[in-house]
């Protein structure tokens, strides 16, 4: 490609460079037609305040610990979600399984180890000042200048493709320095006379997330082999199962973890849908250990990693619920268990922000660090409804759903609140609306369409955790995910088509 050809607009040239790099390096998503296309990305990394980036990274291991501890306080968890469950059948079903499996007595051994591959998402809160100016760097050192959007405890996706995006942007900045400087200039970021690669933090999602899974696999094997069970000598291949959607388009992101597990640890991965598992999985109890097998006991499942199962559509029939319960009751290490998944409910996020709750789970010092990033979170009651109806633009109304596209914004909030029954209220929370600063950006959509726009970014930080309630076997920060969307679009999410992958160019 020739950048000296002035006929070709700069961004078109960069776009072609990116499309080729994406193809050659697997920065790809599936299309519905069973082919692949480029993963949507920004042409150049967005500027991001270094201090926010670093502080968010430092919270990862604390959130890991918090999630694990909350998930083990079952009485608190179930009680806290009682009203939510009354208005939300999906939460209710999970609680039923949780109670049945975890609160049952008997001799059957329970797996104490839980694996968390979590991601905490943040946006910088920078509402305009009295003169209407918004700055990316305004009040960054003030309390609450970046706020948590949500905490993902199941199917936290895009870790793999985010690593690839980081590689892509590093390549672009190094290979096409001058053009990138011109591009920043074009976007109005004029103080870039040269780009600095050290401002693009490395990200290790693939390495750390698969290391977490490999640790779990190893712990399971050591544990089970030490038990000297009669069927330990059987020839069942030990494996990890990825629970996936049959029509998944984000397969490359998942495969990157699978290939790393095999390349570095020689751990085989089986990709199965819940529907498939409802026919192929069984639990065999030997000496009170409920081992999980697949395909007529030819494969023993040591770790189950859910990339599906987070929304009601994953359970079209009772068969899918049945196998979810079977897995939950088995000795395989789950990522996540149902209690872990429940901790990711927006209702728990809201309750954790109320006075005195965090203190149950974390040290004083950690409580302080975590609380700084909590936005205003409110249960839906007469007071919060009145406030939200009066000022809907300052709130987001959220149900207990994952995967994007479920929240209510602006005038839809009063509309929804007014038609909500008392029972339904428990199924929602109201959240302070965060106003991230916009910056000029060039977004490259799937298939290569370019869009120039003011854009907003959401930073996610991944963490991996393995613990048994007493010992933390593994508690690591992994890497980042920066998603950028056109200003004016309320929702976020790459898979849901609202945002593109980006890299933080840390400054300040
Ligand atoms: P989901 O589980 O569907 O991903 P989120 O809480 O992450 O739910 O919300 C989806 C998107 O909506 C976010 O990625 C973000 O872009 C936007 N959003 C969520 N909460 C807020 C908020 N408090 N202020 C502004 N935007 C928000
Ligand atoms: Mg989200």
């Amino acid at each position: 490609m020739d950048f000296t050809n002035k006929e070709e607009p700069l961004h078109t040239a960069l776009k072609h460079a990116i499309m080729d790099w994406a193809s050659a390096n697997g920065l790809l998503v599936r299309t519905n037609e069973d082919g692949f296309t480029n993963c949507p990305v920004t042409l150049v990394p967005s500027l991001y305040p270094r201090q926010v980036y670093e502080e968010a990274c430092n919270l990862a291991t604390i959130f890991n610990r918090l999630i694990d501890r909350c998930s083990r306080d079952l009485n608190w968890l179930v009680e806290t979600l009682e009203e939510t469950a009354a208005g939300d059948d999906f939460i209710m079903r999970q609680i039923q399984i949780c109670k049945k499996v975890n609160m049952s007595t008997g001799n059957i051994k329970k797996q104490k180890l839980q694996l968390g591959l979590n991601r905490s998402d943040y946006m910088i809160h920078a509402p305009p000042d009295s003169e209407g100016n918004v700055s990316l760097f305004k009040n960054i050192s003030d309390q609450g200048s970046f706020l948590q959007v949500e905490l993902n405890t199941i199917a936290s996706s895009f870790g793999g493709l985010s690593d690839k995006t980081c590689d892509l942007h590093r390549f672009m900045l190094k290979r096409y320095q001058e053009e990138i400087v011109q591009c920043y200039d074009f976007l109005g970021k004029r103080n870039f006379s040269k780009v600095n690669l050290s401002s693009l933090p490395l990200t290790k999602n693939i390495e750390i997330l698969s290391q977490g899974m490999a640790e779990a696999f190893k712990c399971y094997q050591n544990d089970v082999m030490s038990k000297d069970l009669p069927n330990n000598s059987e020839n069942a291949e030990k494996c990890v199962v990825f629970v996936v959607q049959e029509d998944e388009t984000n397969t490359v992101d998942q495969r990157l973890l699978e290939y790393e597990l095999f390349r570095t640890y020689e751990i085989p991965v089986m990709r199965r849908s819940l529907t498939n598992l409802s026919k192929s999985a069984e639990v065999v109890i030997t000496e009170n250990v409920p081992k999980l097998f697949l395909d007529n006991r030819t494969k023993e499942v040591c770790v189950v990693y859910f990339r599906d199962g987070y929304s009601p559509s994953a359970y079209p029939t009772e068969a899918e619920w049945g196998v979810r319960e079977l897995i939950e009751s088995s000795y395989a290490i789950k990522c996540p268990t149902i209690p872990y998944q429940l901790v990711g409910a927006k209702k728990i996020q809201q309750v954790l922000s109320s006075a005195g709750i965090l203190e149950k789970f974390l040290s004083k010092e950690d409580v302080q660090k975590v609380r700084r990033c909590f936005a205003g979170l409110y249960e839906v009651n007469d007071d919060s409804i009145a406030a939200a109806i009066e000022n809907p633009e300052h709130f987001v109304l959220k149900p207990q759903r994952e995967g994007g596209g479920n929240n209510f914004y602006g005038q839809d909030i009063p509309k929804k609140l007014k038609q909500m029954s008392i029972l339904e209220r428990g199924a929602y929370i109201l959240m302070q609306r965060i106003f991230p600063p916009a910056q000029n950006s060039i977004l490259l959509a799937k298939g290569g369409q370019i869009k120039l726009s003011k854009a907003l970014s959401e930073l996610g930080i991944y963490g991996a955790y393995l613990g048994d309630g007493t010992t933390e076997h593994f508690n690591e920060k992994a890497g980042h995910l920066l998603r950028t969307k056109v200003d004016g679009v309320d929702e976020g999410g790459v898979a849901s088509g609202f945002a593109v992958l980006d890299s933080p160019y840390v400054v300040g």
Side-chain angles (χ1 to χ4, degrees):
M1 191 183 48
D2 180 11
F3 276 106
T4 59
N5 176 6
K6 297 291 182 215
E7 299 295 315
E8 196 171 35
L10 177 66
H11 58 250
T12 307
L14 289 172
K15 162 185 132 170
H16 287 303
I18 288 177
M19 300 280 280
D20 285 350
W21 192 98
S23 306
N25 293 279
L27 179 53
L28 300 170
V29 288
R30 242 183 209 290
T31 57
N32 292 334
E33 300 81 45
D34 229 18
F36 291 90
T37 188
N38 64 293
C39 174
V41 291
T42 54
L43 230 57
V44 292
S46 293
L47 305 195
Y48 206 83
R50 183 186 299 275
Q51 194 184 334
V52 173
Y53 180 82
E54 286 172 359
E55 277 187 40
C57 286
N58 290 337
L59 293 177
T61 55
I62 306 176
F63 274 118
N64 282 344
R65 189 173 298 140
L66 175 65
I67 294 165
D68 190 79
R69 290 185 180 166
C70 290
S71 76
R72 289 176 195 277
D73 193 339
L74 286 176
N75 289 328
W76 171 80
L77 189 61
V78 168
E79 214 170 281
T80 305
L81 288 172
E82 208 163 33
E83 278 179 24
T84 309
D88 186 320
D89 286 345
F90 186 58
I91 298 281
M92 174 72 87
R93 283 305 293 256
Q94 292 177 65
I95 287 180
Q96 282 166 351
I97 297 178
C98 180
K99 280 185 180 164
K100 198 164 158 193
V101 171
N102 294 293
M103 293 172 170
S104 66
T105 49
N107 301 329
I108 304 297
K109 279 225 167 304
K110 290 187 181 122
Q111 178 55 265
K112 288 207 175 79
L113 286 163
Q114 297 189 111
L115 175 65
L117 300 178
N118 309 310
R119 195 187 70 227
S120 181
D121 293 335
Y122 308 93
M123 291 198 298
I124 294 172
H125 183 51
D129 62 19
S130 52
E131 268 118 59
N133 301 314
V134 180
S135 159
L136 184 56
F137 299 99
K138 202 185 73 172
N139 298 334
I140 285 313
S141 56
D142 289 359
Q143 175 156 341
S145 60
F146 71 102
L147 298 175
Q148 185 180 50
V149 177
E150 66 153 345
L151 198 47
N152 300 280
T153 59
I154 180 167
S156 311
S157 55
F158 286 104
L161 289 179
S162 180
D163 282 9
K164 291 269 177 197
T165 304
C166 178
D167 290 348
L168 162 77
H169 282 140
R170 291 183 74 82
F171 166 77
M172 294 297 289
L173 260 60
K174 205 167 173 183
R175 176 71 181 80
Y176 302 116
Q177 275 200 37
E178 259 178 48
E179 292 79 2
I180 296 285
V181 169
Q182 280 177 44
C183 205
Y184 278 127
D185 193 56
F186 171 80
L187 293 173
K189 303 171 208 284
R190 299 196 189 281
N191 44 358
F192 273 80
S193 53
K194 78 185 212 340
V195 291
N196 188 354
L197 262 193
S198 65
S199 293
L200 273 191
L202 292 170
T203 176
K204 299 193 291 184
N205 296 318
I206 299 173
E207 179 190 329
I208 302 295
L209 301 181
S210 51
Q211 197 182 345
M213 281 193 260
E215 282 292 322
F217 186 86
K218 194 175 77 188
C219 284
Y220 176 97
Q221 285 214 321
N222 291 345
D223 177 21
V224 166
M225 294 315 281
S226 73
K227 287 192 164 52
D228 197 23
L229 304 175
N231 67 0
N232 276 346
S233 55
E234 279 178 13
N235 274 339
E237 180 186 42
K238 304 274 193 296
C239 69
V240 171
V241 164
F242 283 17
V243 180
V244 295
Q245 293 172 17
E246 263 155 24
D247 55 355
E248 177 64 71
T249 54
N250 199 19
T251 51
V252 174
D253 184 52
Q254 301 169 345
R255 290 281 192 192
L256 289 168
L257 296 175
E258 172 185 339
Y259 300 152
E260 176 65 12
L261 271 177
F262 196 72
R263 189 178 68 85
T264 304
Y265 307 99
E266 292 186 24
I267 296 173
V269 167
M270 308 301 300
R271 290 171 60 83
R272 296 292 171 94
S273 67
L274 279 172
T275 309
N276 174 291
L277 288 169
S278 71
K279 296 173 195 126
S280 61
E282 66 180 309
V283 162
V284 180
I285 301 174
T286 314
E287 312 267 329
N288 292 330
V289 178
K291 288 185 170 193
L292 182 66
F293 289 96
L294 293 187
D295 304 348
N296 303 315
R297 306 186 193 181
T298 55
K299 298 174 187 77
E300 180 176 345
V301 183
C302 307
V303 179
V304 183
Y305 172 48
F306 285 92
R307 289 294 292 257
D308 191 19
Y310 51 82
S311 75
S313 60
Y315 307 87
T317 71
E318 282 303 305
E320 288 77 18
W321 278 117
V323 78
R324 183 73 200 267
E325 184 178 323
L326 185 85
I327 294 169
E328 193 70 9
S329 69
S330 79
Y331 207 65
I333 297 173
K334 276 77 68 181
C335 177
T337 58
I338 285 185
Y340 240 76
Q341 180 173 348
L342 287 170
V343 173
K346 269 97 183 162
K347 182 66 195 176
I348 296 295
Q349 181 186 5
Q350 179 246 306
V351 170
L352 283 173
S353 76
S354 38
I357 306 291
L358 272 182
E359 287 76 0
K360 277 165 63 82
F361 301 107
L362 292 176
S363 71
K364 234 183 185 166
E365 198 189 330
D366 285 350
V367 167
Q368 269 182 358
K369 289 184 192 160
V370 161
R371 207 183 277 295
R372 275 167 61 85
C373 74
F374 283 174
L377 290 146
Y378 315 96
E379 67 175 347
V380 179
N381 59 26
D382 289 346
D383 290 345
S384 66
I385 288 179
I389 288 179
E390 192 166 336
N391 277 312
E393 65 282 6
H394 287 294
F395 291 90
V396 179
L397 177 64
K398 297 186 167 190
Q400 312 301 311
R401 287 291 165 274
E402 304 295 329
N406 304 297
N407 300 336
F408 296 81
Y409 304 85
Q411 285 309 321
D412 290 338
I413 297 178
K415 228 188 327 189
K416 179 71 190 170
L417 286 174
K418 283 174 188 164
Q419 70 191 42
M420 206 178 260
S421 69
I422 299 278
L423 196 68
E424 249 189 300
R425 287 182 179 183
Y428 287 79
I429 62 158
L430 276 159
M431 182 172 182
Q432 167 195 359
R433 176 139 193 179
I434 308 169
F435 292 101
Q439 56 184 303
N440 291 332
S441 185
I442 307 172
L443 314 178
L444 176 63
K446 280 183 207 167
Q449 198 199 347
I450 290 258
K451 191 169 177 71
L452 280 92
S453 176
K454 282 219 174 295
L456 313 174
S457 297
E458 181 172 350
L459 177 71
I461 303 292
Y462 295 87
Y465 187 95
L466 180 71
D468 60 12
T470 312
T471 310
E472 278 185 0
H473 292 261
F474 193 76
N475 185 5
E476 296 281 334
K477 177 209 117 190
H480 63 248
L481 166 73
L482 191 69
R483 290 172 296 178
T484 294
K485 63 178 182 180
V486 169
D487 189 10
V489 173
D490 293 325
E491 272 292 325
V494 178
S496 42
F498 297 107
V500 307
L501 296 193
D502 195 351
S503 300
Y505 187 99
V506 296
V507 280

